[in-house]
Amino acid sequence: MAAEAHNACANALLADGFLDDAVLAYTRAINLAGGLPRLAVYYSNRSQSRLKLEEHQLAGHDAAFALSLDPTLWKARLRLMRALEALGRSGSASDAARALLAASPPAA
């Protein structure tokens, strides 16, 4: 199964509340992606699952790594901010919030 198929499966698992399974499926997508441009998105998506599992440290690592790959991912910025806030790192969370506001999300 290709990386994008694992990502799609993980998205469905996340939506249905199967958070641990979603993390595993995102990890499979990451492992198969190699240097694909969507690798940053897979890390950002896994960060969302980890936030919901209250694995804030791991969520923050995934979001930060996603941003290191693609600094334009505003969802990764949002997830990093949420993880930092949950970890009680209010100064860093404020910095992340300012960066999020500076990066305008795509129009809905």
Side-chain angles (χ1 to χ4, degrees), residues 33-50:
L36 292 178
R38 301 251 320 140
L39 183 60
V41 172
Y42 303 157
Y43 272 100
S44 178
N45 289 348
R46 187 170 72 176
S47 175
Q48 177 65 13
S49 294
R50 288 180 162 168

Side-chain angles (χ1 to χ4, degrees), residues 1 4 21 26 34 36-37 43 47 49 52-53 57 60 63-64 73 76 80 85 90 95 98 100 102 105-106 108:
M1 191 183 293
E4 191 57 33
D21 293 332
Y26 286 129
L36 292 178
Y43 272 100
S47 175
S49 294
K52 289 184 178 244
L53 285 166
Q57 189 75 33
L73 288 179
L80 177 60
E85 184 178 58
S90 58
D95 291 343
R98 279 190 286 283
L100 177 64

Side-chain angles (χ1 to χ4, degrees), residues 10-71:
N11 288 342
L13 289 165
L14 177 62
D16 290 340
F18 297 103
L19 304 177
D20 289 315
D21 293 332
V23 168
L24 291 174
Y26 286 129
T27 301
R28 285 187 204 105
I30 288 166
N31 291 337
L32 290 171
L36 292 178
R38 301 251 320 140
L39 183 60
V41 172
Y42 303 157
Y43 272 100
S44 178
N45 289 348
R46 187 170 72 176
S47 175
Q48 177 65 13
S49 294
R50 288 180 162 168
L51 281 171
K52 289 184 178 244
L53 285 166
E54 298 185 7
E55 296 175 348
H56 302 114
Q57 189 75 33
L58 293 171
H61 284 283
D62 280 350
F65 191 71
L67 287 169
S68 76
L69 296 171
D70 183 352

